[in-house]
């Protein structure tokens, strides 16, 4: 009886593992399909593409201005209606991936994500970081960073002084009278 119960348990465990693999596959397939659709739709008020997070593809060096551009976009999404930043996709919607950047500058995805988190958190503040969800996903054989930003109820400033919003498919800095309004 104990042997039969053990065999049943092993069979049930194997079925549960198979179902978990199937669920994960279906979730990844659905996410991949959603991402492809978002990329095909192009950039708009709620979607922005960046080829890299920090890598200048010509000089093959880490550049602050590229990081700053990504952070401005994230802040703009938080200040407007929310949105999704896809890193590893160029402006034409070509999915290039982040593998080269990761290999060259960070050595692995964990270090890349840690760098991303540290840069964004220090630029926009701890309070707003909870409105950002980010992960590396595979789409068409390339890894991309997907950053989903919820709308903030409070103004988000980059480095405590600069305010950005999304206007159609671009990020705009708001200053002076416009900022007061």
């Amino acid at each position: 009886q104990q042997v039969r119960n053990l065999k049943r348990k092993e069979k049930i465990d194997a079925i549960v593992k198979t179902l978990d693999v199937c669920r994960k596959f279906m979730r990844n397939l659905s996410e991949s399909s959603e991402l492809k659709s978002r990329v095909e739709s192009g950039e708009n008020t709620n979607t922005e593409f960046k080829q890299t997070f920090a890598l200048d593809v010509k000089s093959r060096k880490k550049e602050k201005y590229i990081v700053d551009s990504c952070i401005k976009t994230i802040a703009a999404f938080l200040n407007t209606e929310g949105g999704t930043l896809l890193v590893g996709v160029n402006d034409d919607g070509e999915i290039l991936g982040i593998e080269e950047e990761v290999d060259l500058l960070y050595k692995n995805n964990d270090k890349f994500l840690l760098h991303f988190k540290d840069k964004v958190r220090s630029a926009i503040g701890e309070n707003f970081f909870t409105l950002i969800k980010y992960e590396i996903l595979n789409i068409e054989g390339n890894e991309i960073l997907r950053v989903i930003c919820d709308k903030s109820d409070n103004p988000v400033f980059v480095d405590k002084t600069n305010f950005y919003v999304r206007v159609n498919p671009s990020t705009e800095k708001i200053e002076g009278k416009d900022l007061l309004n």
Side-chain angles (χ1 to χ4, degrees):
Q1 181 70 24
Q2 286 178 338
V3 170
R4 263 188 272 160
N5 287 342
L6 183 60
K7 287 185 178 185
R8 278 189 204 134
K9 183 181 180 326
E10 288 173 354
K11 286 180 182 179
I12 290 171
D13 288 346
I15 291 169
V16 168
K17 284 181 184 178
T18 302
L19 287 173
D20 286 343
V21 168
C22 290
R23 280 189 206 108
K24 185 176 181 180
F25 174 78
M26 292 303 290
R27 187 178 68 241
N28 288 343
L29 189 61
S30 174
E31 285 178 346
S32 179
S33 176
E34 182 267 329
L35 283 174
K36 283 184 359 185
S37 174
R38 186 177 284 269
V39 168
E40 289 169 0
S41 296
E43 294 181 315
N44 57 43
T45 306
N46 304 99
T47 304
E48 176 74 18
F49 304 149
K50 297 290 183 188
Q51 190 166 338
T52 66
F53 179 69
L55 179 67
D56 182 310
V57 293
K58 291 181 180 150
S59 71
R60 299 182 48 81
K61 293 181 182 175
K62 189 185 290 188
E63 294 290 349
K64 184 180 181 324
Y65 77 92
I66 297 173
V67 173
D68 291 346
S69 177
C70 291
I71 290 171
K72 290 172 188 178
T73 299
I74 290 168
F77 283 141
L78 294 168
N79 284 324
T80 315
E81 294 299 320
T84 301
L85 170 64
L86 299 175
V87 179
V89 180
N90 71 15
D91 286 338
D92 296 328
E94 186 180 359
I95 301 166
L96 303 171
I98 58 170
E99 293 91 332
E100 181 181 5
E101 178 176 8
V102 169
D103 291 344
L104 191 61
L105 301 178
Y106 307 101
K107 306 304 178 218
N108 62 54
N109 286 349
D110 288 339
K111 289 180 182 173
F112 172 76
L113 291 174
L114 183 62
H115 176 76
F116 169 81
K117 177 188 75 164
D118 290 344
K119 289 294 183 184
V120 174
R121 183 181 277 169
S122 69
I124 67 165
E126 187 76 33
N127 296 343
F128 301 106
F129 197 73
T130 58
L131 299 172
I132 301 168
K133 296 164 208 64
Y134 59 96
E135 63 185 330
I136 294 175
L137 298 171
N138 193 300
I139 179 170
E140 295 185 347
N142 294 299
E143 291 184 335
I144 64 164
L145 173 64
R146 178 175 66 177
V147 183
I148 300 172
C149 305
D150 294 332
K151 181 183 184 327
S152 175
D153 293 331
N154 299 304
V156 177
F157 290 85
V158 174
D159 298 326
K160 299 179 182 171
T161 57
N162 300 309
F163 188 81
Y164 298 91
V165 295
R166 286 294 284 184
V167 179
N168 295 321
S170 66
T171 297
E172 302 289 332
K173 184 175 183 179
I174 307 295
E175 301 179 277
K177 271 183 157 177
D178 291 335
L179 184 57
L180 288 174
N181 291 337

